[in-house]
Amino acid sequence: MTLYLRLKIKDMLTTPELLGWGIGFIEFWVLMWIFVFSQISAGTAWKIYVIKTNITMAYSFLGLLSMSSVAAGLSYSLFYASRAARYLTKFTRIGIVRFIVEDFLGSLVAILIFTLVIFLSVIGFSYMKWGILALPENPIGVIVDLIIAGVALYWLAYMIALAVIVSRRTKALTMVSYIPLIVGFIAYSQLWIDLGNLVYFMPLCPLPALLTYHGIGAYPPTGAYFMWLAGDKLLPAINLRLAAISVFAWTIIFIILSLILLRKSKGIPIEEIRL
Amino acid sequence: MIELINLQVKYGRRQEPIVKGAHAKFENKHLILGPNGSGKTTLFRAITGLAPISSGRILIDGVDLDKIYSKPGVLAINLSEVYSVFHLNAYDHLRLFMDLTGGEVDLALKMLEDLGLSNDLLRKRKPWELSAGQQKAFSTVIALFSNARHVLLDEPFEQLDPARKGRLIEHLREYKGVLLLNTHETWLLSALKDWNTHLMFEGKLYGSLHAGEIVKASLVARDKPDAMLKFTVSGKTYSLIKGGVGEPLSRLITLDRIYELSLGEAENI
């Protein structure tokens, strides 16, 4: 592992803002979810299955929210690093491609570590409450879903930082850096709202469905997960193939737009990249 | 060697150029002496690829600046903004830049210690948490220990105490490579007498002369045919002449005073 990559990971894992929002803030909701909102008690096999589904939903939705919080902070750090990046890629060993790859890999590793903390705490706290160890049925599937989420959110954050630079609207950074968090909360809103077919068009909204499917093996609905969990209403099952295509498509869109903006950002003087 | 060919730098289409048609070859040790706001830092940013070149070219060892990518050992600069990559301490940044340029961490740390930045301080503070003088010393040391053939130093003596200024000067004298140092302080002319010196006023680069020659020269607010060097400030022509009646340039202390001269005192010199 190169020193740049090591320091990138260290940077993200030691930034108080990222720790506060990505872990502290989300852990609060983990505790609320497990100990306050989940009133069900274990008993029959069906109830255990419902609890396991509830736990799976908790790490899926809260994990995604944690990633979104980290991505919001990432927009900031990518914006600031872009000033030094000009110099780094010209007069040091780190070329443009290596810089992008290492920055991306470092961020992805850090994002996944943040999510792992949320995942483990959901598993641990739910074991404390119900004595049920709700490990994913398809762990590889869950890991792949989380990696895709991390990739998509990294490029969304990068796209935002570059859009601010290219449009020369640096003062808008504070506002637009929240876009990943807004995306995360729209996905989170599916706990109560059924987006219907809109779910396939909204960035990253189908991800909790993929995570829930790989976590518990059930075919989740297009939204209104709590209603689905309670069995109050029959909801249409999500098309997992379309869900996966949607997530891949948005990830590719973010990557392509970032690369286009990266080319456009080349001529912008360093003085303009400051708040 | 760094070569500037009719270089013009400006931000935005409607703005006045900040560097206006600069021609120069830098192949040894050079001082660029000019008042604040004369375009010195912008010139350095342009040479580093950090400011937009609206016309002209910059060649470094014969290679167009636009074609230089991922080339450690070619050039280093002491602008603190390029040495803040992460939210990490100054020591980690030092390690990173020495790693990416093939520089020696231990030698850099020794020099930093000499300039009053202890290892302990570097581990405690992020680069932007250092005082302005410490930030300048920190980025200057990284630039000098990056093993670069060309080093650009933007006002490296700012806010350094006299003892540390002396130590840094010793180091600059011993440096093997092309050095470009910009400053508005004229005392450096006496300290670095054998350096080639360019003057910079209102975006225009003049010269070069040996610093030693400029120390002995006098400034007159007239166009003198026998002048060693002529330059224009606020529409008024000044001449540097050998000895004679004018004001010794070194007595101005800082070239910022040139504007005062151009406003009121010019007639007296």
Side-chain angles (χ1 to χ4, degrees):
Chain A
M1 194 192 282
T2 66
L3 184 61
Y4 184 89
L5 195 52
R6 277 211 309 273
L7 291 178
K8 177 74 192 179
I9 296 169
K10 181 181 172 186
D11 176 38
M12 288 191 65
L13 295 180
T14 55
T15 302
E17 291 83 1
L18 294 186
L19 288 170
W21 289 107
I23 293 181
F25 173 66
I26 304 296
E27 281 302 333
F28 170 76
W29 290 109
V30 168
L31 293 169
M32 295 294 280
W33 188 307
I34 305 289
F35 293 106
V36 179
F37 303 146
S38 303
Q39 296 299 332
I40 191 168
S41 55
T44 61
W46 173 249
K47 281 191 170 176
I48 291 172
Y49 178 75
V50 171
I51 289 170
K52 280 190 172 179
T53 308
N54 181 44
I55 296 166
T56 305
M57 280 165 48
Y59 67 69
S60 301
F61 281 93
L62 292 173
L64 189 59
L65 211 52
S66 168
M67 286 179 155
S68 309
S69 310
V70 176
L74 198 57
S75 295
Y76 256 96
S77 57
L78 286 167
F79 175 84
Y80 282 108
S82 66
R83 294 167 65 190
R86 303 279 180 95
Y87 179 76
L88 274 171
T89 54
K90 230 170 162 55
F91 297 113
T92 75
R93 274 208 306 261
I94 198 161
I96 293 175
V97 174
R98 191 181 140 192
F99 176 79
I100 293 171
V101 169
E102 291 197 6
D103 202 84
F104 162 64
L105 286 178
S107 304
L108 184 61
V109 169
I111 288 173
L112 291 174
I113 290 172
F114 276 96
T115 318
L116 184 67
V117 171
I118 302 301
F119 170 80
L120 291 176
S121 65
V122 169
I123 298 292
F125 288 135
S126 56
Y127 185 76
M128 274 170 65
K129 179 165 179 178
W130 293 295
I132 295 170
L133 196 60
L135 293 173
E137 285 201 359
N138 180 353
I140 292 171
V142 169
I143 290 167
V144 170
D145 293 339
L146 291 175
I147 289 173
I148 294 167
V151 172
L153 283 164
Y154 172 85
W155 288 101
L156 173 61
Y158 204 7
M159 189 187 82
I160 290 164
L162 288 166
V164 166
I165 293 167
V166 171
S167 65
R168 292 170 158 88
R169 298 202 183 276
T170 53
K171 286 195 168 66
L173 181 66
T174 312
M175 197 172 70
V176 297
S177 66
Y178 284 103
I179 289 174
L181 197 57
I182 292 167
V183 167
F185 269 108
I186 291 171
Y188 193 70
S189 72
Q190 293 178 102
L191 286 170
W192 299 274
I193 299 164
D194 181 11
L195 293 172
N197 284 337
L198 206 58
V199 72
Y200 304 113
F201 299 98
M202 303 288 281
L204 309 187
C205 276
L207 257 167
L210 294 172
L211 281 160
T212 306
Y213 171 71
H214 289 127
I216 194 74
Y219 281 83
T222 49
Y225 279 67
F226 282 142
M227 213 181 275
W228 170 68
L229 188 67
D232 291 347
K233 193 181 164 191
L234 199 63
L235 291 157
I238 197 164
N239 181 330
L240 289 169
R241 188 184 293 261
L242 279 181
I245 290 170
S246 166
V247 172
F248 276 115
W250 277 108
T251 308
I252 289 164
I253 288 169
F254 294 149
I255 293 172
I256 290 172
L257 286 176
S258 298
L259 295 178
I260 291 169
L261 289 167
L262 191 66
R263 277 188 80 85
K264 282 189 179 290
S265 72
K266 255 184 80 179
I268 296 174
I270 199 166
E271 280 87 346
E272 295 187 21
I273 312 175
R274 64 177 86 216
L275 289 175
Chain B
M1 179 177 73
I2 298 172
E3 191 175 358
L4 313 180
I5 305 166
N6 197 23
L7 181 72
Q8 183 166 286
V9 180
K10 67 172 177 177
Y11 299 110
R13 283 182 200 154
R14 288 179 200 166
Q15 272 191 357
E16 179 85 352
I18 296 169
V19 176
K20 300 168 185 168
H23 272 285
K25 280 184 184 175
F26 304 111
E27 48 194 336
N28 207 332
K29 291 183 176 175
H30 299 257
L31 271 178
I32 297 178
L33 194 63
N36 285 322
S38 58
K40 304 185 301 293
T41 306
T42 302
L43 175 68
F44 275 19
R45 285 199 171 117
I47 295 172
T48 321
L50 303 174
I53 297 169
S54 49
S55 66
R57 293 171 74 195
I58 298 171
L59 304 176
I60 301 179
D61 287 339
V63 181
D64 198 292
L65 178 67
D66 281 345
K67 295 196 169 64
I68 297 173
Y69 275 103
S70 187
K71 293 274 185 262
V74 172
L75 187 139
I77 191 165
N78 73 336
L79 292 177
S80 50
E81 65 223 41
V82 301
Y83 296 117
S84 294
V85 187
F86 301 123
H87 288 81
L88 296 175
N89 61 40
Y91 179 78
D92 279 336
H93 278 93
L94 175 75
R95 278 200 310 147
L96 175 68
F97 278 90
M98 293 299 105
D99 177 66
L100 292 176
T101 56
E104 293 270 346
V105 177
D106 292 341
L107 292 176
L109 281 172
K110 193 172 172 297
M111 179 75 187
L112 283 165
E113 188 87 47
D114 267 2
L115 295 178
L117 281 93
S118 68
N119 200 327
D120 198 35
L121 180 80
L122 296 173
R123 286 174 189 272
K124 275 185 192 155
R125 302 251 176 99
K126 296 179 175 74
W128 57 93
E129 290 172 348
L130 298 169
S131 70
Q134 288 171 333
Q135 279 186 43
K136 190 57 90 178
F138 177 67
S139 49
T140 298
V141 169
I142 295 184
L144 287 171
F145 286 88
S146 293
N147 276 337
R149 294 193 295 278
H150 310 87
V151 176
L152 313 184
L153 299 176
D154 178 55
E155 303 276 10
F157 297 98
E158 249 182 5
Q159 286 151 327
L160 276 188
D161 63 56
R164 287 174 183 145
K165 279 180 182 170
R167 273 177 235 148
L168 186 54
I169 282 184
E170 282 310 308
H171 196 83
L172 298 181
R173 283 194 185 122
E174 286 163 19
Y175 193 82
K176 307 251 184 298
V178 176
L179 272 181
L180 264 75
L181 188 159
N182 80 38
T183 182
H184 61 282
E185 295 172 278
T186 55
W187 65 268
L188 269 168
L189 291 167
S190 311
L192 302 168
K193 279 182 181 159
D194 53 339
W195 286 36
N196 296 312
T197 304
H198 296 258
L199 299 182
M200 192 161 188
F201 295 101
E202 297 172 347
K204 288 190 176 166
L205 203 56
Y206 301 89
S208 67
L209 292 171
H210 264 96
E213 291 178 272
I214 297 181
V215 170
K216 291 178 196 155
S218 299
L219 185 65
V220 291
R222 278 184 293 278
D223 187 347
K224 297 273 278 182
D226 57 339
M228 298 157 67
L229 191 77
K230 292 179 202 172
F231 55 88
T232 308
V233 182
S234 303
K236 195 160 275 181
T237 302
Y238 291 82
S239 302
L240 263 186
I241 55 167
K242 280 189 180 168
V245 287
E247 176 86 6
L249 196 66
S250 51
R251 210 186 286 170
L252 293 180
I253 301 172
T254 156
L255 273 200
D256 295 335
R257 280 208 62 213
I258 206 87
Y259 294 114
E260 295 168 29
L261 296 177
S262 69
L263 286 174
E265 298 172 26
E267 302 310 317
N268 303 325
I269 61 174

